[in-house]
């Protein structure tokens, strides 16, 4: 089955620790995205990547870092510099050439204890 | 400053009737608009889109209308079904599908 896999579904970390959220896709999509959703709000773009080894900041990149070493994978690190990291994190991917919409994974809920 | 707004946080509709969800935007550079449906603890699922060269796009029970002069789009669901109960997000982009800006969502409840 083709799709986007985010793991784990729930993640707990102590304050001050960095944490990395996994996103893998087997759709052969070139572009991948990370969003954050807070309760009662829409999704906000953190980072995106249109090609391997290249990525751009979105609207709320501060306190986050990403890497794109493989086409299939786009991990997001929430660093200790992120002031309010507790949120629902969503990864998406898209086939740029065919002008398709973004497809989303099922998200990771991160809670900082 | 929100560039995409969904002013109704919730909407309740009787099964079989029409659901109309509204979305306003301020950025004139947006030329591609999408609607996503989201259940709790899941990722959004793409529903329907429209480019700025059209004013209507239909897919089964779902129709999206775009009024560029008013910077307004709406999603019509008819007939509404209980399974349509979810949060609906509109999103906009200045390139087809990249750099999406989302509205805050509208929770639709369809009562049997």
């Amino acid at each position: 089955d083709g799709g986007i896999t985010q793991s784990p579904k729930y993640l707990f970390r102590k304050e001050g620790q960095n944490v990395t959220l996994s996103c893998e896709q087997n759709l052969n999509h070139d572009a991948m995205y990370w969003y954050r959703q807070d309760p009662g709000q829409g999704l906000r773009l953190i980072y995106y990547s249109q090609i391997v080894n290249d990525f751009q900041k979105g609207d709320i990149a501060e306190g986050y870092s990403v890497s794109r070493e493989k086409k299939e994978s786009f991990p997001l690190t929430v660093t200790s510099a992120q002031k309010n990291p507790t949120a629902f994190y969503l990864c998406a991917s898209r086939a740029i050439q065919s002008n398709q919409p973004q497809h989303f994974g099922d998200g990771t809920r991160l809670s900082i204890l | 400053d929100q560039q995409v707004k969904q002013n109704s946080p919730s909407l309740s509709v009787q099964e079989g009737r029409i659901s109309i969800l509204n979305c306003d935007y301020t950025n004139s550079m947006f030329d591609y608009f999408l609607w996503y449906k989201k259940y709790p603890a899941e990722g959004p699922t793409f529903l329907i889109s429209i480019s700025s060269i059209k004013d209507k796009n239909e897919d089964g029970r779902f129709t999206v209308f775009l009024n560029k002069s008013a910077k307004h789009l709406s999603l019509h669901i008819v007939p509404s079904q209980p399974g349509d109960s979810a949060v609906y997000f509109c999103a906009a982009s200045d390139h087809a599908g990249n750099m999406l800006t989302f509205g805050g969502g509208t929770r639709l409840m369809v009562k049997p």
Side-chain angles (χ1 to χ4, degrees):
Chain A
D1 255 13
I4 302 170
T5 302
Q6 290 189 244
S7 59
K9 193 153 182 75
Y10 300 94
L11 191 53
F12 298 90
R13 279 297 182 269
K14 291 183 179 179
E15 197 168 346
Q17 286 183 335
N18 291 356
V19 59
T20 297
L21 283 61
S22 168
C23 178
E24 304 279 331
Q25 54 97 1
N26 60 5
L27 301 166
N28 200 34
H29 287 172
D30 290 303
M32 297 186 73
Y33 309 81
W34 274 105
Y35 292 88
R36 167 184 173 137
Q37 186 189 17
D38 292 286
Q41 297 187 33
L43 284 66
R44 292 182 290 167
L45 182 65
I46 304 173
Y47 268 98
Y48 69 101
S49 167
Q50 293 185 276
I51 195 170
V52 173
N53 292 323
D54 188 45
F55 46 83
Q56 285 77 40
K57 293 181 179 179
D59 298 321
I60 54 166
E62 186 176 349
Y64 299 98
S65 66
V66 292
S67 63
R68 187 86 187 277
E69 296 177 3
K70 299 185 300 181
K71 188 176 184 178
E72 304 79 26
S73 179
F74 191 40
L76 172 75
T77 297
V78 184
T79 75
S80 55
Q82 167 52 233
K83 299 299 180 196
N84 186 16
T86 295
F88 189 50
Y89 291 88
L90 287 155
C91 177
S93 70
R94 177 174 167 256
I96 297 175
Q97 297 89 336
S98 58
N99 207 23
Q100 292 295 305
Q102 293 181 23
H103 293 270
F104 285 82
D106 280 340
T108 293
R109 183 164 299 281
L110 173 64
S111 298
I112 302 298
L113 305 175
Chain B
D1 184 30
Q2 280 188 291
Q3 297 186 70
V4 178
K5 282 187 180 179
Q6 294 175 253
N7 290 318
S8 298
S10 64
L11 174 68
S12 183
V13 169
Q14 204 67 35
E15 180 179 6
R17 305 296 291 268
I18 185 171
S19 296
I20 300 176
L21 295 93
N22 293 302
C23 180
D24 297 293
Y25 63 95
T26 58
N27 190 338
S28 300
M29 298 300 291
F30 289 148
D31 63 8
Y32 185 62
F33 304 89
L34 307 91
W35 285 94
Y36 283 86
K37 174 181 177 180
K38 186 181 180 301
Y39 295 114
E42 292 184 10
T45 302
F46 170 73
L47 269 179
I48 192 169
S49 63
I50 188 167
S51 92
S52 59
I53 62 173
K54 294 185 175 182
D55 54 18
K56 176 182 173 182
N57 188 26
E58 191 172 351
D59 184 1
R61 297 186 297 115
F62 302 92
T63 303
V64 56
F65 295 92
L66 176 63
N67 182 333
K68 289 185 289 293
S69 60
K71 294 190 177 67
H72 176 84
L73 65 155
S74 60
L75 174 68
H76 292 210
I77 306 172
V78 56
S80 301
Q81 299 172 354
D84 296 329
S85 298
V87 177
Y88 290 78
F89 290 98
C90 71
S93 173
D94 59 349
H95 299 291
N98 210 21
M99 287 290 288
L100 293 179
T101 300
F102 282 82
T106 296
R107 180 177 303 279
L108 174 65
M109 293 163 283
V110 180
K111 298 179 179 177

